C-alpha cells in the first residue's frame, strides 16, 4: 500500500477520537431503552460481563489487527493471514457499517429536530402526554423525517471532506468532556426527583425474570454496538495509532469511559421515568419522551436542553464519522478512489438506506418483517447479527490464525511483555467469545 498514512498527533488525540466513536447514541439513546425493555438490572449485569469477557478482548483484537499492519481491514487481513479468504470478513464489516448508518442517521435527525425544539422553547409548559405527541408527530411526518435526516447527513459528509485528523480529533477532544460533565449534572438532577429511588432500583436490582434469552442477545449486541466493535472501525482507528501507545490501556480506558457514559445515561433516565409515571418499556422513543419532561422541571431547563442536544449531536457526529470512515477508507485503499469520490459514493449509498428508514415510520410503515419496520430491522440486524459476526471473526483471527509473536509484540508496552494480559486475551478470543457468540446465533436461529 503506497498511501501515506498520518498517525494521530498525540495519544490523547487517538483516545479522544476512539472514545468519540464509541460514545454516541448507542450509549445515550439505545442503552436506556434496551435496559428498559429487558428488566433493567439483569440486563446491565449481562452487559457489563459481556464488555469484560467479549468487548475488551474483541477491541484488543481489532487494535492488534489495525496497528500491526497500519492498513484498513481488508488489507490488514491479507497481510496477516496471506493466501486465505479471511479478508472477506472485511465485506461483512463494511456492509454492517452501512446498515448501521442507515438507521443511525435517522436517530441523529431526531436529535437535530430536538435541538431545534429546545432552541424555540417547544419543551416548556407541556404535559408528559404532549411530549409523547411531539415525538409521534415527528416520526409520522415523512417530510420532517427526511429533512432532519438529510440535514444531519449533509453536515456529516461535509465534515468528512476535511479529513480524519482535523475533523474528528478537534471535535471529539472538546465536546466529549463537556458532554460528560453535562451528563453528571443531569444525573444529579434526576436523583433529586421525588421517587428517584424506584428508578435506581430498576437499573441496579438484579432480577432475571424480565430478561430471558432475548434480553441476553440484546445485551451482547448492545455491548458491541456501544464499543464500536465488529465492523472494523477499531481496526481502522488503530491503524493510525503510533507504535508506542499501550493498546491494553487504551482498550480499558475506552471501554471504561463508554460503559460509564451508558450507565450515567441510565441514571439520568430511569429516576425520571418512574418519577413522571412513564413506562420503562417504551422502546426507541423512551429518551425522546422523557428528556423534555426532565428539562421542563429543571431550573434553567431552557439552556440545559439546548446544551444537551447540542453535545449529543456532536457525540453522534463523531460516531457517524467513524462509521462512514470504514467504507471510505476501504474504497480509497482497495479501489484507488480519491477521497472525494469515496465520500460521495458512501454518501449516496447511505442516503438511500437512511431515506428508506426515515420513511419506514410513515409512508413505508407497512413494509415489515417479523413485525419490525425497516428501521427496527436494520437496528436489530446491525448489532445482533453484523457486529457479532464481525466480532467473532476478529476474535477467531487473533485467537487462532495470526502469529502469536504479533500478539505479544502488540500487547507489550515499552518492550515489556505482560503474560497475564496475553493469557486473558487468548482465553477470551480463543474460547469464551466464539462459544458465547455461536450460542447467541444458535439462539437467534431458533436451534436452542
Ligand atoms: N458506538 C457508537 C455508539 O454507541 C456507534 C458506532 C460508531 C459504531 N462507530 C461504530 C458501532 C462502529 C459499531 C461499529 O453510538
Amino acid at each position: 500500500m503506497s498511501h501515506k498514512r498520518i498517525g494521530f498527533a498525540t495519544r490523547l488525540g487517538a483516545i479522544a477520537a476512539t472514545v468519540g466513536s464509541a460514545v454516541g447514541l448507542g450509549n445515550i439513546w439505545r442503552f436506556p431503552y434496551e435496559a428498559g425493555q429487558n428488566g433493567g438490572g439483569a440486563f446491565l449485569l449481562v452487559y457489563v460481563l459481556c464488555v469484560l469477557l467479549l468487548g475488551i478482548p474483541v477491541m484488543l483484537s481489532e487494535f492488534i489487527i489495525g496497528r500491526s499492519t497500519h492498513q484498513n481491514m481488508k488489507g490488514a487481513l491479507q497481510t496477516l493471514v496471506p493466501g486465505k479468504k479471511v479478508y472477506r470478513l472485511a465485506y461483512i464489516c463494511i456492509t454492517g457499517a452501512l446498515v448501521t448508518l442507515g438507521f443511525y442517521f435517522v436517530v441523529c435527525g431526531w436529535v437535530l429536530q430536538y435541538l431545534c425544539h429546545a432552541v424555540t422553547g417547544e419543551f416548556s409548559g407541556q404535559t408528559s402526554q404532549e411530549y409523547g405527541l411531539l415525538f409521534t408527530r415527528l416520526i409520522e411526518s415523512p417530510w420532517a423525517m427526511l429533512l432532519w435526516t438529510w440535514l444531519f447527513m449533509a453536515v456529516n459528509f461535509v465534515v468528512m471532506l476535511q479529513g480524519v485528523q482535523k475533523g474528528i480529533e478537534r471535535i471529539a477532544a472538546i465536546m466529549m468532556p463537556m458532554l460528560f460533565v453535562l451528563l453528571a449534572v443531569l444525573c444529579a438532577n434526576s436523583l433529586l426527583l421525588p421517587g428517584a429511588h424506584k428508578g435506581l432500583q430498576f437499573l441496579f436490582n438484579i432480577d432475571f425474570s424480565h430478561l430471558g434469552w432475548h434480553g441476553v442477545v440484546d445485551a451482547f449486541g448492545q455491548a458491541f454496538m456501544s464499543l464500536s466493535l465488529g465492523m472494523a472501525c477499531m481496526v481502522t482507528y488503530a491503524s493510525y495509532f503510533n507504535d508506542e501507545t499501550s493498546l491494553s490501556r487504551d482498550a480499558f480506558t475506552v471501554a471504561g469511559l463508554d460503559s460509564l457514559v451508558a450507565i450515567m445515561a441510565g441514571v439520568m433516565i430511569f429516576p425520571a421515568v418512574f418519577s413522571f409515571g412513564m413506562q420503562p418499556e417504551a422502546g426507541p422513543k423512551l429518551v425522546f419522551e422523557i428528556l423534555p419532561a426532565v428539562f421542563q422541571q429543571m431550573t434553567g431547563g431552557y439552556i440545559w436542553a439546548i446544551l444537551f442536544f447540542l453535545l449529543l449531536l456532536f457525540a453522534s457526529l463523531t460516531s457517524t464519522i467513524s462509521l462512514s470512515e470504514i467504507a471510505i477508507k476501504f474504497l480509497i485503499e482497495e479501489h484507488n478512489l480519491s477521497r472525494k469520490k469515496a465520500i460521495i459514493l458512501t454518501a449516496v449509498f447511505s442516503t438511500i438506506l437512511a431515506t428508506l428508514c426515515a420513511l419506514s415510520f410513515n409512508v413505508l410503515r407497512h413494509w415489515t418483517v417479523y413485525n419490525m419496520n425497516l428501521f427496527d430491522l436494520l437496528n436489530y440486524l446491525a448489532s445482533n447479527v453484523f457486529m457479532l459476526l464481525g466480532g467473532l471473526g476478529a476474535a477467531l483471527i487473533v485467537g487462532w490464525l495470526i502469529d502469536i509473536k504479533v500478539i505479544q509484540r502488540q500487547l507489550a508496552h515499552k518492550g515489556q511483555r505482560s503474560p497475564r494480559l496475553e493469557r486473558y486475551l487468548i482465553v477470551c478470543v480463543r474460547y469464551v467469545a466464539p462459544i458465547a457468540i455461536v450460542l447467541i446465533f444458535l439462539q437467534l436461529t431458533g436451534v436452542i
Side-chain angles (χ1 to χ4, degrees):
M1 296 292 111
S2 57
H3 299 273
K4 192 168 176 300
R5 287 180 147 256
I6 319 155
F8 283 112
T10 57
R11 169 166 185 262
L12 203 67
I15 282 272
T18 317
V19 174
S21 159
V23 174
L25 292 167
N27 310 58
I28 291 165
W29 159 73
R30 206 173 188 275
F31 176 82
Y33 92 71
E34 285 281 355
Q37 281 180 325
N38 291 301
F43 180 87
L44 178 61
L45 178 72
V46 178
Y47 171 83
V48 169
L49 281 178
C50 182
V51 168
L52 289 175
L53 294 176
L54 280 86
I56 293 174
V58 169
M59 187 182 287
L60 274 172
S61 304
E62 292 200 17
F63 279 176
I64 291 174
I65 296 172
R67 194 178 67 174
S68 63
T69 55
H70 294 292
Q71 286 176 37
N72 74 76
M73 182 73 157
K74 185 173 167 216
L77 294 181
Q78 281 169 330
T79 305
L80 287 171
V81 202
K84 297 235 174 66
K85 301 237 157 60
V86 173
Y87 69 86
R88 288 191 180 163
L89 180 67
Y91 298 120
I92 295 183
C93 296
I94 288 150
T95 315
L98 290 170
V99 166
T100 309
L101 276 177
F103 79 87
Y104 206 97
F105 274 136
V106 172
V107 188
C108 295
W110 295 346
V111 177
L112 200 53
Q113 156 87 93
Y114 269 60
L115 173 63
C116 193
H117 282 329
V119 172
T120 54
E122 197 95 16
F123 297 148
S124 66
Q126 302 203 23
T127 61
S128 305
Q129 252 178 355
E130 285 169 322
Y131 293 127
L133 276 179
L134 197 65
F135 186 74
T136 313
R137 235 183 299 137
L138 167 63
I139 60 169
E140 285 185 350
S141 155
W143 285 112
M145 289 286 278
L146 290 179
L147 172 76
W148 297 109
T149 308
W150 287 344
L151 205 57
F152 184 91
M153 295 183 74
V155 173
N156 178 72
F157 288 108
V158 167
V159 169
M160 299 220 61
L161 280 167
Q162 299 185 2
V164 173
Q165 225 156 344
K166 272 188 279 159
I168 302 175
E169 220 167 294
R170 220 180 313 129
I171 298 174
I174 306 166
M175 293 299 190
M176 285 293 140
M178 281 176 68
L179 177 66
F180 198 76
V181 173
L182 186 61
L183 272 179
V185 172
L186 292 175
C187 285
N189 172 71
S190 283
L191 290 174
L192 293 174
L193 290 172
H197 65 278
K198 282 202 219 119
L200 289 184
Q201 248 168 22
F202 179 79
L203 184 60
F204 294 113
N205 236 2
I206 297 164
D207 167 12
F208 281 97
S209 59
H210 291 288
L211 188 68
W213 258 109
H214 181 268
V216 175
V217 177
D218 281 358
F220 274 49
Q222 174 59 25
F224 276 65
M225 162 73 85
S226 190
L227 297 176
S228 298
L229 298 177
M231 297 206 168
C233 182
M234 292 294 153
V235 173
T236 310
Y237 273 31
S239 72
Y240 293 107
F241 286 2
N242 71 38
D243 289 321
E244 279 76 54
T245 53
S246 154
L247 290 187
S248 60
R249 208 174 46 180
D250 285 3
F252 279 96
T253 311
V254 173
L257 285 174
D258 185 74
S259 304
L260 188 62
V261 171
I263 293 171
M264 283 167 85
V267 173
M268 163 178 86
I269 295 293
F270 289 114
V273 169
F274 285 89
S275 183
F276 301 145
M278 289 156 123
Q279 295 305 320
E281 302 92 4
K285 62 185 180 182
L286 180 73
V287 171
F288 290 95
E289 285 189 357
I290 302 292
L291 281 174
V294 170
F295 294 124
Q296 126 116 329
Q297 60 72 46
M298 263 177 107
T299 335
Y302 176 74
I303 298 292
W304 293 121
I306 295 177
L307 251 181
F308 177 81
F309 285 110
L310 190 66
L311 292 175
L312 184 55
L313 205 62
F314 274 96
S316 316
L317 188 60
T318 49
S319 297
T320 51
I321 286 174
S322 81
L323 279 163
S324 322
E325 187 68 20
I326 301 169
I328 292 168
K329 186 103 299 153
F330 172 81
L331 290 172
I332 295 174
E333 293 188 356
E334 298 302 325
H335 293 280
N336 276 322
L337 290 191
S338 68
R339 184 164 177 89
K340 199 164 158 200
K341 275 203 188 124
I343 292 176
I344 292 171
L345 207 64
T346 310
V348 168
F349 193 79
S350 49
T351 304
I352 296 172
L353 268 185
T355 299
L356 291 175
C357 276
L359 297 179
S360 72
F361 290 97
N362 35 69
V363 183
L364 304 178
R365 72 160 67 84
H366 304 297
W367 287 14
T368 54
V369 182
Y370 290 117
N371 248 341
M372 289 187 270
N373 63 17
L374 189 68
F375 174 94
D376 294 331
L377 183 69
L378 296 196
N379 185 359
Y380 185 83
L381 284 180
S383 62
N384 295 3
V385 177
F386 282 102
M387 291 181 200
L388 289 184
L389 262 184
L392 175 66
L396 290 175
I397 287 163
V398 169
W400 297 97
L401 295 179
I402 71 175
D403 188 351
I404 185 90
K405 291 219 181 62
V406 175
I407 300 175
Q408 289 166 347
R409 209 174 320 122
Q410 289 297 325
L411 289 185
H413 184 43
K414 298 199 171 118
Q416 197 73 1
R417 277 182 52 197
S418 163
R420 262 224 325 252
L421 181 66
E422 286 168 15
R423 235 176 296 131
Y424 157 76
L425 179 66
I426 294 288
V427 170
C428 289
V429 293
R430 269 200 191 158
Y431 309 106
V432 182
I435 293 173
I437 296 174
V438 167
L439 280 178
I440 289 287
F441 280 123
L442 292 180
Q443 164 63 26
L444 275 181
T445 47
V447 177
I448 56 172

